[in-house]
Amino acid sequence: MNKLVMSRSHWEKAKAHLLEKRREHFAFFLCGVATFDDGISFFVRDFIQIPDMNLHFARGVGFKLDLEALLRVTNRARSERLALVEAHSHPWVKNNVRFSPIDLNGLKEFVPYILDDLPGLPYAATVWGKKSVDGICWRFSAKNKTSLDEVRIVGDNLTRIITTSRSKRMRKKHKVSVDEKVSRQVLMIGKQGQEYVRQTKVAIIGLGGLGSQAAQMLAYLGVRDFVLVDFDKVEATNLNRLVGAGPKDLGRYKVDVAERMIRRIAGKGSLTIQKFESALREQRVLDVLKKVDVIFGCVDKDGPRLILNELSLAYLIPYIDCAFGINAENDVIKEAGGRVILVRPDGPCLLCCKEINLKAASDDLAPKEELEVRKSQGYVAGADVPSPSVISLDGTVASVAVTEFLAFVTGFRPAQTYTFYDMLEQRLVPRLVKPNPKCVASSLKGLGDKANVERYAQTQIPKDIPQIQ
């Protein structure tokens, strides 16, 4: 599938320019890229508006861009090693917008020039109507073209726009049907909302107390496409909170327990589960995560959080990070609670929220031998000390996370960025956090493969891990 993915702010800027009045307008998206066996994803880094004064109509090829204006765009793309996606509009068309014969004739001349000027980078062209988009992608050469399938907008909610080309290829429109099992929740989110849940590919990293409950709830909601990642096996100390596990599961991988639970809930019908009895840092795991729709982070260390935070930003994948903690001394609870943070392009990341301890993350990502040296020298405190955990707290945090997922995917309300739960005061409140313009991780937004998240699959600590401020 070929996709164009952007933040809500970029989407609004594009619409404001391209659909202004009833005349054609022109622009470019500057994009990071991820290439897969089955398609290309373009991730918008910036929207470059082309003033109307830089456009001139040429018979037979439509609007042509001034050479000076074109060079400004291509020079920037070349210097930053980013791809370009052109956009022009047919604002008088509402639904099923298409390229005109004049548009296609102009692309025959323009595309070879761009592919030659930006070697090694794909290119795409889009045409925008009032309520529709269509597009064409070129991966290697002007002869190697495929249709753009989807435009995805990541904001307070997740919006998918199926292109005219893909709609045309779908001979039979998928009929939205309602399984009786979910009929009661359809009364709240509607048939289309339930279909959005079914279509969403969800990854859960960590299948312990938090992750197992999230998996259970998502399966009951109707999610039918899962990626499960956890290298750990069930231990006796897990049985007070690991949903789906019993004494007979001791020694089994947690992902196997979660898979069994999901299959039991889903019953017959279409269900896809990819499971990895491995650490997040394996290359094959990172490759699969780049293609999911939403990531749930249910991990208890800051090293994995740092990786998921960067992957989310680079590939514009919504990331729901879950955490809880109990501070108890002499059997007296001093503090207890948790939080859920939704990382998305226009919002703050985990570093902006100051929810990643970079020293702890560095310890987590250190090679085993180096970590043992750090422990022996007293640089790693409390690394092997178990923390208190109780199923009701896990369940509360997981429930908040899944509810935010439901809001984000179905749009029944805007999803919250940061939700804090105080167990002792029994308070559930949002926290206001703004993006930090100087955040080093946020600079990765939309870079795609250029962000080189694969460096975490190496055995050594990445040399460009964010510095402790």
Side-chain angles (χ1 to χ4, degrees):
M1 177 183 288
N2 298 318
K3 294 185 296 184
L4 175 63
V5 187
M6 68 185 76
S7 66
R8 174 64 63 176
S9 60
H10 283 135
W11 169 256
E12 296 297 340
K13 288 178 183 177
K15 285 202 307 178
H17 173 63
L18 293 170
L19 301 180
E20 181 188 18
K21 300 179 181 178
R22 289 180 60 84
R23 58 168 296 180
E24 292 187 46
H25 299 281
F26 202 85
F28 284 99
F29 294 102
L30 193 66
C31 300
V33 174
T35 55
F36 307 104
D37 291 339
D38 60 348
I40 311 168
S41 290
F42 296 88
F43 307 103
V44 175
R45 288 271 292 175
D46 198 6
F47 175 70
I48 304 174
Q49 178 176 318
I50 302 298
D52 292 342
M53 67 179 70
N54 293 132
L55 296 175
H56 303 283
F57 187 80
R59 182 178 294 275
V61 294
F63 282 104
K64 294 193 72 172
L65 184 60
D66 282 348
L67 181 59
E68 184 178 346
L70 176 60
L71 289 177
R72 284 198 299 268
V73 175
T74 56
N75 286 342
R76 182 179 171 191
R78 191 184 310 106
S79 66
E80 298 183 29
R81 289 297 300 161
L82 295 173
L84 289 174
V85 175
E86 72 170 70
H88 82 281
S89 56
H90 293 173
W92 56 88
V93 179
K94 186 175 181 181
N95 298 314
N96 300 317
V97 67
R98 291 178 172 85
F99 291 94
S100 69
I102 292 178
D103 294 334
L104 295 173
N105 192 44
L107 288 171
K108 288 180 182 179
E109 176 184 329
F110 189 64
V111 171
Y113 167 79
I114 288 290
L115 291 176
D116 183 61
D117 197 43
L118 301 174
L121 292 170
Y123 185 70
T126 59
V127 57
W128 293 49
K130 284 185 177 180
K131 291 189 176 181
S132 56
V133 181
D134 203 12
I136 305 171
C137 304
W138 292 266
R139 187 166 184 171
F140 301 113
S141 71
K143 296 180 180 179
N144 184 5
K145 70 176 184 178
T146 54
S147 298
L148 184 71
D149 298 298
E150 180 180 292
V151 177
R152 181 169 299 191
I153 304 103
V154 184
D156 289 339
N157 304 107
L158 181 63
T159 304
R160 300 179 179 98
I161 297 175
I162 304 301
T163 62
T164 302
S165 296
R166 187 182 177 199
S167 297
K168 187 179 179 180
R169 293 198 307 271
M170 297 166 66
R171 294 180 180 177
K172 281 190 176 181
K173 188 176 180 181
H174 178 72
K175 186 178 180 181
V176 178
S177 59
V178 177
D179 190 319
E180 189 177 359
K181 290 187 295 185
V182 296
S183 59
R184 296 288 289 272
Q185 70 192 36
V186 168
L187 296 175
M188 174 180 139
I189 62 176
K191 290 183 179 181
Q192 189 59 61
Q194 186 62 49
E195 182 66 7
Y196 288 151
V197 171
R198 187 193 66 80
Q199 292 175 355
T200 303
K201 186 183 185 75
V202 178
I204 306 175
I205 317 302
L207 275 301
L210 273 173
S212 62
Q213 296 210 43
Q216 181 190 53
M217 294 180 201
L218 290 168
Y220 276 121
L221 278 180
V223 174
R224 291 297 178 262
D225 197 347
F226 289 89
V227 175
L228 309 176
V229 182
D230 198 321
F231 66 90
D232 213 357
K233 295 180 179 180
V234 179
E235 299 177 357
T237 55
N238 303 141
L239 295 181
N240 73 315
R241 63 193 183 282
L242 191 63
V243 173
K248 292 183 179 180
D249 293 309
L250 292 176
R252 292 192 69 185
Y253 281 105
K254 291 178 181 179
V255 291
D256 291 336
V257 174
E259 179 191 26
R260 181 185 64 195
M261 175 179 64
I262 292 169
R263 291 193 182 281
R264 185 171 64 243
I265 294 169
K268 296 180 180 180
S270 177
L271 177 64
T272 302
I273 299 178
Q274 292 175 275
K275 59 180 181 178
F276 297 89
E277 303 98 346
S278 59
L280 169 64
R281 296 178 68 180
E282 288 200 15
Q283 182 66 55
R284 61 192 182 118
V285 176
L286 295 175
D287 287 341
V288 169
L289 292 182
K290 295 173 189 176
K291 299 180 69 174
V292 304
D293 299 316
V294 178
I295 297 173
F296 274 77
C298 302
V299 296
D300 56 5
K301 292 183 180 295
D302 281 352
R305 279 197 179 91
L306 183 70
I307 297 172
L308 292 173
N309 188 61
E310 290 192 11
L311 189 143
S312 166
L313 295 170
Y315 295 91
L316 303 186
I317 302 171
Y319 167 40
I320 301 174
D321 184 74
C322 313
F324 70 92
I326 300 174
N327 180 11
E329 296 179 9
N330 300 320
D331 298 328
V332 177
I333 300 176
K334 302 292 185 181
E335 298 174 298
R339 54 131 176 99
V340 173
I341 297 175
L342 172 58
V343 178
R344 52 196 160 177
D346 288 330
C349 75
L350 292 186
L351 285 178
C352 297
C353 295
K354 299 182 179 179
E355 291 294 352
I356 292 181
N357 182 317
L358 290 174
K359 183 181 182 305
S362 176
D363 291 335
D364 295 338
L365 299 175
K368 184 176 180 180
E369 298 77 8
E370 183 174 338
L371 183 59
E372 292 303 318
V373 172
R374 293 188 187 188
K375 288 180 182 179
S376 67
Q377 294 176 344
Y379 290 114
V380 183
D384 298 318
V385 178
S387 57
S389 187
V390 62
I391 191 170
S392 58
L393 178 54
D394 288 355
T396 300
V397 175
S399 181
V400 170
V402 172
T403 299
E404 293 309 317
F405 163 84
L406 190 62
F408 182 71
V409 170
T410 68
F412 76 82
R413 66 160 169 78
Q416 290 283 350
T417 296
Y418 192 134
T419 307
F420 173 74
Y421 173 60
D422 186 331
M423 189 177 79
L424 297 184
E425 296 291 336
Q426 196 55 29
R427 294 183 303 142
L428 191 65
V429 294
R431 282 184 171 174
L432 179 61
V433 183
K434 295 182 179 180
N436 178 3
K438 296 182 180 179
C439 176
V440 64
S442 294
S443 66
L444 301 175
K445 288 181 182 178
L447 281 181
D449 290 341
K450 189 183 173 187
N452 191 25
V453 178
E454 289 83 359
R455 71 194 192 283
Y456 286 110
Q458 301 168 4
T459 57
Q460 302 298 319
I461 302 176
K463 292 181 179 180
D464 56 345
I465 189 171
Q467 296 296 311
I468 299 173
Q469 301 295 324

